[in-house]
Amino acid sequence: MPPYVLPRFSIGVGDRFGHQAKAQLHACMEAGRSGVTVIPVWNKSNREHLIIGSEPQSTRIAADAAVQALGWQHPYYCDADHINLSTVDRFLAPCDFFTIDVADAIGKPADPASIERFVKRRADLSGTIRLEGADETFAITADLILATATKFLAAVEQAGQVCRHIETAKGKGSFIPEISMDETDAVQTPAELLIILAAIADEGIPIQTIAPKFTGRFNKGVDYVGDVAQFRREIQLDVAAIAWAVRNFGLPKNLKLSIHSGSDKFSLYPAIHKATKVSGVHLKTAGTTWLEELIGLAESGGEGLALAKEIYAEAYDHRAELCAPYAAVIDISPAQLPQPSAVGRWSSEEYTSALRHDPHSTAYNPSFRQLLHVGFKVAAKMGSRYLERLDANEAVIARNVTQNLFDRHIAPVFLGKPSPVAAPTHAEVR
Ligand SMILES: [Zn+2]
């Protein structure tokens, strides 16, 4: 049985159509050659499976095949991403990493008696806490303990229920549990995170990663929108709070932050690297691989380019419906979306430079990119016609997938190489 202890550095990669696992694993191997072991975790949410009409088993098959083909010697995992009690069952067999999403329960009141028990049991958290590695202390008051319990205890209890359900099916200690609280409007401060971790320890959940909601917007496939300096401070304190919680609450020693980036938060990468190079981090990307498939198709010209144009035209026609499930995490300006007829005349170069996330390029179009990011349903509907084009252009697509993952994500976050964007452009800070 493989050890279910997540190593220090890991990257969550999405592979919507199950065709790029090898290209993604190549990026992790490149990291190894650069001196750092980065563990791949293939994540695909229930929402993605439903949109595409795929089964969680398909992610496992693709991951196993890639690992076998390339002779990867380190651990790797399959993540049941953003599951809850009603959706977890079909992920139980193929997955060994579970992102337990309790965002829905945040703000729902827990049983008053259990709030009271928690507040009593953790009364000793009151006072001034000095976090090692952070230059600040923070004060925890009885009021904050009560307020945090009122807001988050029901969510933690729900996570406990899901975790025990998975344990019953798979056995204790035979999977990696993550708790995600990112898909909500309620930002968690580092002090709240610390209190939440106390509740998680009380609930007996052996979490190895936790995904809080940070301030600012984490839109899909584009850069961060928010105050980078504040994020830098927040992540340092979160890391310190986690270390403190591990020492004081008996949580697993490898517990680390999971950052659900939505991909491409280039302006945050230097801060993430600095804050987590010792403690470790799980960086969850999503959708960036699917966009590289489109870039590869467009770059191939001919039928590939034609298909990429057709996908845009369809996505444009169905934009309201495609965007609806992602409304909270996209920001498309309709005026910036080119007419499909204009895109129909584009060269390979025009298509790829509008889509590729190069913040320094004047041709880069974030609205075009975000619409295509959520437009994978169009390709899913094409079925084998899309998959056959992927196979026909495998080499050029794989090169784009590997380079994107390594150069734009792994190198800045895990190796501390300069991020594709050194400082956010004016338009990205609001
Ligand atoms: Zn997430």
Side-chain angles (χ1 to χ4, degrees):
M1 193 167 75
Y4 295 101
V5 177
L6 189 65
R8 192 191 323 174
F9 298 122
S10 49
I11 186 161
V13 290
D15 185 11
R16 303 209 194 277
F17 297 99
H19 269 54
Q20 308 306 332
K22 267 202 292 186
Q24 292 168 328
L25 190 54
H26 267 301
C28 289
M29 295 178 103
E30 185 68 38
R33 282 190 288 277
S34 305
V36 54
T37 305
V38 178
I39 301 302
V41 179
W42 277 278
N43 51 249
K44 195 163 169 183
S45 66
N46 193 57
R47 181 170 58 191
E48 274 178 270
H49 281 296
L50 290 176
I51 290 174
I52 289 185
S54 53
E55 283 295 325
Q57 184 66 29
S58 60
T59 307
R60 162 63 63 188
I61 291 169
D64 286 351
V67 163
Q68 177 97 41
L70 301 188
W72 175 253
Q73 297 296 324
H74 300 281
Y76 66 101
Y77 302 95
C78 287
D79 177 4
D81 197 12
H82 285 287
I83 48 82
N84 56 39
L85 206 52
S86 63
T87 54
V88 68
D89 282 348
R90 64 178 179 147
F91 292 87
L92 289 171
C95 292
D96 47 13
F97 186 125
F98 291 81
T99 298
I100 304 170
D101 183 335
V102 291
D104 279 355
I106 292 174
K108 299 225 171 95
D111 169 31
S114 64
I115 293 180
E116 206 187 309
R117 272 197 304 277
F118 176 78
V119 168
K120 248 190 210 150
R121 191 168 52 235
R122 293 299 183 178
D124 60 345
L125 286 177
S126 285
T128 304
I129 291 188
R130 173 170 292 280
L131 299 175
E132 246 173 72
D135 301 332
E136 10 191 338
T137 55
F138 54 68
I140 290 186
T141 61
D143 283 352
L144 182 67
I145 297 173
L146 175 63
T148 307
T150 306
K151 197 163 161 192
F152 294 103
L153 198 57
V156 172
E157 288 174 350
Q158 188 179 305
Q161 221 184 338
V162 178
C163 189
R164 288 186 291 276
H165 181 78
I166 304 166
E167 282 176 345
T168 305
K170 298 188 76 79
K172 265 191 178 188
S174 57
F175 63 95
I176 293 167
E178 163 164 327
I179 294 179
S180 71
M181 300 185 159
D182 64 309
E183 294 198 354
T184 160
D185 292 332
V187 172
Q188 297 108 41
T189 65
E192 283 173 327
L193 180 64
L194 198 121
I195 297 166
I196 291 167
L197 288 170
I200 289 171
D202 290 350
E203 189 68 27
I205 307 169
I207 49 162
Q208 298 187 30
T209 50
I210 183 154
K213 160 92 178 160
F214 297 98
T215 43
R217 279 184 72 83
F218 286 71
N219 287 338
K220 294 282 180 189
V222 294
D223 207 343
Y224 180 66
V225 180
D227 182 343
V228 175
Q230 190 186 341
F231 173 85
R232 188 181 303 120
R233 182 176 168 269
E234 212 169 272
I235 189 173
Q236 277 169 356
L237 285 173
D238 281 347
V239 166
I242 287 173
W244 196 92
V246 166
R247 276 196 307 276
N248 291 279
F249 305 147
L251 288 164
K253 287 196 166 42
N254 64 328
L255 173 61
K256 61 181 180 176
L257 267 186
S258 171
I259 299 177
H260 290 205
S261 67
S263 293
D264 291 40
K265 299 303 167 282
F266 299 155
S267 61
L268 301 183
Y269 284 177
I272 294 174
H273 174 72
K274 188 162 180 273
T276 65
K277 62 185 178 210
V278 176
S279 60
V281 67
H282 180 61
L283 179 79
K284 195 175 284 197
T285 67
T288 184
T289 288
W290 139 249
L291 291 176
E292 294 305 320
E293 284 180 342
L294 281 180
I295 287 170
L297 287 175
E299 200 181 300
S300 304
E303 284 180 62
L305 177 61
L307 196 71
K309 289 175 177 178
E310 189 184 328
I311 289 170
Y312 176 72
E314 273 295 299
Y316 185 89
D317 284 348
H318 298 276
R319 56 195 184 279
E321 164 206 339
L322 293 170
C323 292
Y326 294 95
V329 283
I330 49 177
D331 221 343
I332 292 173
S333 122
Q336 297 300 314
L337 289 173
Q339 290 296 321
S341 55
V343 174
R345 292 186 294 273
W346 280 2
S347 64
S348 288
E349 165 63 21
E350 284 170 297
Y351 195 107
T352 58
S353 58
L355 182 52
R356 196 172 269 137
H357 190 179
D358 174 0
H360 302 296
S361 160
T362 51
Y364 165 55
N365 182 334
S367 292
F368 181 71
R369 182 173 170 87
Q370 286 179 91
L371 177 59
L372 283 169
H373 191 291
V374 299
F376 59 94
K377 189 179 187 174
V378 173
K381 276 194 178 153
M382 289 176 168
S384 57
R385 199 153 73 86
Y386 177 70
L387 301 179
E388 277 161 20
R389 276 302 107 208
L390 290 186
D391 290 336
N393 299 291
E394 188 185 337
V396 53
I397 291 170
R399 171 171 46 75
N400 278 289
V401 169
T402 303
Q403 266 178 9
N404 169 60
L405 206 53
F406 183 77
D407 294 345
R408 296 201 182 85
H409 303 277
I410 290 177
V413 170
F414 301 105
L415 298 163
K417 297 266 170 68
S419 205
V421 56
T425 62
H426 190 66
E428 281 159 343
V429 185
R430 279 207 297 243

